[in-house]
Amino acid sequence: MRYSFFSLARNALAGHSLWPPAWRPAKPKTGYDVIIIGGGGHGLGAAYYLAKRHGIKNIAVLERGWIGGGNTARNTTIVRSNYFLTPNSNFYEHSLRLWEGLTEELNFNLMFSQRGVVNLCHSQAEIESFVRRYNSNRQNGVDGELLNRDAVRRMIPALDMSEDHRFPVLGAVIQRRGGTARHDAVAWGYARAADALGVDIIQNCEVTGIRTQAGAITGVETTQGDISAEKVGIAVAGHTSQLAAMAGVTLPIETHLLQAMVSEPVKPFLNSVVSSGTHHVYVSQTDKGELVIGGGLDGYNSYSRRGMYSRIEDITAAAAELFPRIRSLRLMRKWSGAVDMTMDGSPIIAKLPIDGLYLDGGWCYGGFKATPAAAWCLAHTIANDAPHDLNRAFSLERFRTGHLLNERGQGNRPGLH
Ligand code: FAD
C-alpha cells in the first residue's frame, strides 16, 4: 500500500482513526464447519490454511482474550530447523521454508531475519552430540556448519573465550538460515489474511465446554453462547490439557512456566542468536538494540505467569558469564508464559479419540518456529480427517505404543529453543 505525504500526515493527526481495520470484529454465528479454539499464530494460521488450501470457508477462530496475546507474543522468536530426529527435522524444515516465503504470502512484514542460530559446545561430550545432530541434519537436507573455537571467536567477538572459563567454549554448530521474526506480526498477518478469506475471528470469547454426542463433536460452549460445529481444532498452547479435559481426554502433558526478559538497548554487538545448553541460556539482540535473554523452565507445574526471581538471577548470571560486557546493563522487562511439555520433547498434531476433534499442542520450548508448519499440518489433518506425512509421527497414540520421538537430549532442551 502506498501513502502520499499528505495521507501520512492526515493519518498521524487523526490518531490512526482513519486506518482500515485489519480484520472484521466478528460476532459468533450459530454454527460453523470448523471452529479453531485459540487465536495465537497456530490457530489463526490453521484457519488461514483451511480456507486457502482446503477451500473450507465457514470457519471461526475463538480467542478468550485478544489475538496473539498468548505465547505468540511472549516468546523469544527463535526460528531454526536443525532438530535431531528425522520426523522433527522434516517438519521444522518445512516450517522454515514456509517462514522464508511468509512475508510475501501474507503481504505483511514479519521482519523475518535469518541472522543465524549458534549453539555453543562446552565439552567433548557436547561436541560429539552436536556432531551427531549435524550429521543427521545433513542427511535430511537441513543446512548446518560446525565451527571450531577460532571461528566462534571471529564470529562472536563479544563472547568470553577464555580457556579458564567455568565452561570454556570449545566450538559451536550454526544454522545460518535460522534467526528471528516479529512475533505479533505473525498473528496479525495470519489474522488479516484469514479474515480476507471469510474466517470469523472472535475475540473475548472463552471456550468453557466442548460438546459431544455419541463420541462425536457437536460444538462448543463459550462466554458468548453455544456454537455448533462439525469439527473443532484446539490450539491453545499452555492450556492444552484443560481444553482436552473438557472433552474427557487426558493428555501426557505437564504445564510449566517459562520466563524471558529484555535489557535496555545498546549499540549493536551481536548479530546472531547465541544459545548454550550447558548454561541453560540464550541471547539475541533486537533491531532496537535490546538484548533478549531466556533460559530454562522455572521447574514446577503452574498456569500462573509470574515466575521466580531466582530463575531470573540464574539466567542473567549465565548470560553475563558468556558476555561479560553486559554485566552492568539494566533489565527493562521480564515476562512468563505457560508452556506444555510432552514427555519426549516433541509435539502432538493429531486427531483425538473423539470424532471431529483435533489437537495442536505440546510445544515445549519451541512452538513459535513451528507456527507455519503446525498451522499447515493442523489444517491438513482437519480437512482430511487424517494426518499429513509431516505430522504422522506426532500422534497421541505414540505415548501408548511407546513409539516416542525423544528429542530432549539433542534438539529440544533448555537453552536450545
Ligand atoms: P498462543 O499464542 O498461546 O495461542 C493460544 C491462544 O489460546 C491464546 O491466545 C489463549 O488466550 C487462547 N486460549 C486459551 N484457552 C482458551 C479458551 N478456553 N478459549 C479460547 N481461547 C483460549 N518457541 C520458539 O520456537 N522459539 C522461541 O524462542 C521460543 N521462546 C519462548 C519463550 C517463552 C518465554 C515462552 C513462554 C515460549 C517460547 N516459545 C518459543 C514457545 C512458543 O511461544 C509457543 O510454543 C508458541 O507461541 C505457541 O503458539 P500458539 O499459537 O499455539 O499459542
Side-chain angles (χ1 to χ4, degrees), residues 15 78 88-89 139 255 257 277 279 349 355 373 381:
I78 300 174
N88 278 324
S89 71
Q139 282 173 15
T255 303
L257 203 141
H279 282 277
I349 310 177
D355 279 350
T381 307

PDB file of all heavy atoms in Angstrom, residues 15 78 88-89 139 255 257 277 279 349 355 373 381:
ATOM      1  N   GLY A  15      -4.869  10.333  14.714  1.00  0.00           N
ATOM      2  CA  GLY A  15      -4.653   9.295  15.739  1.00  0.00           C
ATOM      3  C   GLY A  15      -4.989   7.901  15.246  1.00  0.00           C
ATOM      4  O   GLY A  15      -5.516   7.077  15.987  1.00  0.00           O
ATOM      5  N   ILE A  78      12.932 -17.425  18.408  1.00  0.00           N
ATOM      6  CA  ILE A  78      13.996 -18.157  17.703  1.00  0.00           C
ATOM      7  C   ILE A  78      13.367 -19.124  16.702  1.00  0.00           C
ATOM      8  O   ILE A  78      12.450 -19.875  17.041  1.00  0.00           O
ATOM      9  CB  ILE A  78      14.893 -18.933  18.686  1.00  0.00           C
ATOM     10  CG1 ILE A  78      15.553 -17.962  19.666  1.00  0.00           C
ATOM     11  CG2 ILE A  78      15.940 -19.761  17.936  1.00  0.00           C
ATOM     12  CD1 ILE A  78      16.351 -18.640  20.759  1.00  0.00           C
ATOM     13  N   ASN A  88      11.126 -34.776  13.195  1.00  0.00           N
ATOM     14  CA  ASN A  88      11.189 -33.387  13.651  1.00  0.00           C
ATOM     15  C   ASN A  88      11.920 -32.508  12.652  1.00  0.00           C
ATOM     16  O   ASN A  88      11.475 -31.397  12.342  1.00  0.00           O
ATOM     17  CB  ASN A  88      11.879 -33.305  15.020  1.00  0.00           C
ATOM     18  CG  ASN A  88      10.910 -33.623  16.150  1.00  0.00           C
ATOM     19  OD1 ASN A  88       9.744 -33.270  16.092  1.00  0.00           O
ATOM     20  ND2 ASN A  88      11.383 -34.303  17.174  1.00  0.00           N
ATOM     21  N   SER A  89      13.058 -32.978  12.142  1.00  0.00           N
ATOM     22  CA  SER A  89      13.784 -32.084  11.221  1.00  0.00           C
ATOM     23  C   SER A  89      13.008 -31.892   9.920  1.00  0.00           C
ATOM     24  O   SER A  89      12.989 -30.779   9.369  1.00  0.00           O
ATOM     25  CB  SER A  89      15.233 -32.534  10.991  1.00  0.00           C
ATOM     26  OG  SER A  89      15.274 -33.681  10.235  1.00  0.00           O
ATOM     27  N   GLN A 139      21.993 -35.300   6.444  1.00  0.00           N
ATOM     28  CA  GLN A 139      21.293 -36.381   5.726  1.00  0.00           C
ATOM     29  C   GLN A 139      19.864 -35.995   5.393  1.00  0.00           C
ATOM     30  O   GLN A 139      19.285 -36.473   4.426  1.00  0.00           O
ATOM     31  CB  GLN A 139      21.295 -37.645   6.582  1.00  0.00           C
ATOM     32  CG  GLN A 139      22.625 -38.363   6.530  1.00  0.00           C
ATOM     33  CD  GLN A 139      22.690 -39.506   7.504  1.00  0.00           C
ATOM     34  OE1 GLN A 139      21.684 -39.943   8.033  1.00  0.00           O
ATOM     35  NE2 GLN A 139      23.890 -39.986   7.763  1.00  0.00           N
ATOM     36  N   THR A 255       2.182 -28.756  32.402  1.00  0.00           N
ATOM     37  CA  THR A 255       2.284 -27.327  32.089  1.00  0.00           C
ATOM     38  C   THR A 255       3.287 -26.664  33.028  1.00  0.00           C
ATOM     39  O   THR A 255       3.213 -26.847  34.245  1.00  0.00           O
ATOM     40  CB  THR A 255       0.904 -26.672  32.209  1.00  0.00           C
ATOM     41  OG1 THR A 255       0.028 -27.369  31.325  1.00  0.00           O
ATOM     42  CG2 THR A 255       0.947 -25.216  31.802  1.00  0.00           C
ATOM     43  N   LEU A 257       6.178 -23.161  33.628  1.00  0.00           N
ATOM     44  CA  LEU A 257       6.329 -21.723  33.442  1.00  0.00           C
ATOM     45  C   LEU A 257       7.702 -21.444  32.827  1.00  0.00           C
ATOM     46  O   LEU A 257       8.700 -22.013  33.268  1.00  0.00           O
ATOM     47  CB  LEU A 257       6.261 -21.144  34.835  1.00  0.00           C
ATOM     48  CG  LEU A 257       5.872 -19.725  34.991  1.00  0.00           C
ATOM     49  CD1 LEU A 257       4.987 -19.661  36.224  1.00  0.00           C
ATOM     50  CD2 LEU A 257       7.078 -18.892  35.212  1.00  0.00           C
ATOM     51  N   GLY A 277      23.291 -24.746  25.798  1.00  0.00           N
ATOM     52  CA  GLY A 277      22.555 -25.744  26.576  1.00  0.00           C
ATOM     53  C   GLY A 277      23.205 -25.987  27.924  1.00  0.00           C
ATOM     54  O   GLY A 277      22.533 -26.253  28.921  1.00  0.00           O
ATOM     55  N   HIS A 279      24.833 -23.763  29.816  1.00  0.00           N
ATOM     56  CA  HIS A 279      24.491 -22.639  30.698  1.00  0.00           C
ATOM     57  C   HIS A 279      22.979 -22.461  30.850  1.00  0.00           C
ATOM     58  O   HIS A 279      22.548 -21.638  31.649  1.00  0.00           O
ATOM     59  CB  HIS A 279      25.049 -21.326  30.125  1.00  0.00           C
ATOM     60  CG  HIS A 279      26.505 -21.122  30.358  1.00  0.00           C
ATOM     61  ND1 HIS A 279      26.991 -20.613  31.538  1.00  0.00           N
ATOM     62  CD2 HIS A 279      27.581 -21.357  29.575  1.00  0.00           C
ATOM     63  CE1 HIS A 279      28.312 -20.531  31.469  1.00  0.00           C
ATOM     64  NE2 HIS A 279      28.698 -20.972  30.282  1.00  0.00           N
ATOM     65  N   ILE A 349       0.262 -33.239  16.949  1.00  0.00           N
ATOM     66  CA  ILE A 349      -0.687 -32.648  15.985  1.00  0.00           C
ATOM     67  C   ILE A 349      -1.481 -33.826  15.451  1.00  0.00           C
ATOM     68  O   ILE A 349      -0.972 -34.596  14.615  1.00  0.00           O
ATOM     69  CB  ILE A 349      -0.010 -31.935  14.799  1.00  0.00           C
ATOM     70  CG1 ILE A 349       1.072 -30.964  15.269  1.00  0.00           C
ATOM     71  CG2 ILE A 349      -1.049 -31.184  13.957  1.00  0.00           C
ATOM     72  CD1 ILE A 349       1.820 -30.283  14.133  1.00  0.00           C
ATOM     73  N   ASP A 355     -14.607 -38.155  17.427  1.00  0.00           N
ATOM     74  CA  ASP A 355     -14.759 -37.771  16.010  1.00  0.00           C
ATOM     75  C   ASP A 355     -14.893 -36.264  15.875  1.00  0.00           C
ATOM     76  O   ASP A 355     -15.710 -35.644  16.568  1.00  0.00           O
ATOM     77  CB  ASP A 355     -16.009 -38.434  15.420  1.00  0.00           C
ATOM     78  CG  ASP A 355     -15.725 -39.870  15.021  1.00  0.00           C
ATOM     79  OD1 ASP A 355     -14.533 -40.256  15.031  1.00  0.00           O
ATOM     80  OD2 ASP A 355     -16.689 -40.603  14.745  1.00  0.00           O
ATOM     81  N   ALA A 373       4.262 -24.402   9.958  1.00  0.00           N
ATOM     82  CA  ALA A 373       4.071 -25.823   9.641  1.00  0.00           C
ATOM     83  C   ALA A 373       3.001 -26.446  10.531  1.00  0.00           C
ATOM     84  O   ALA A 373       2.239 -27.317  10.084  1.00  0.00           O
ATOM     85  CB  ALA A 373       5.384 -26.585   9.782  1.00  0.00           C
ATOM     86  N   THR A 381      -4.855 -31.955   8.625  1.00  0.00           N
ATOM     87  CA  THR A 381      -5.414 -33.053   9.433  1.00  0.00           C
ATOM     88  C   THR A 381      -6.920 -32.858   9.612  1.00  0.00           C
ATOM     89  O   THR A 381      -7.691 -33.816   9.546  1.00  0.00           O
ATOM     90  CB  THR A 381      -4.691 -33.117  10.793  1.00  0.00           C
ATOM     91  OG1 THR A 381      -3.288 -33.186  10.541  1.00  0.00           O
ATOM     92  CG2 THR A 381      -5.116 -34.319  11.606  1.00  0.00           C
TER      93      THR A 381
END
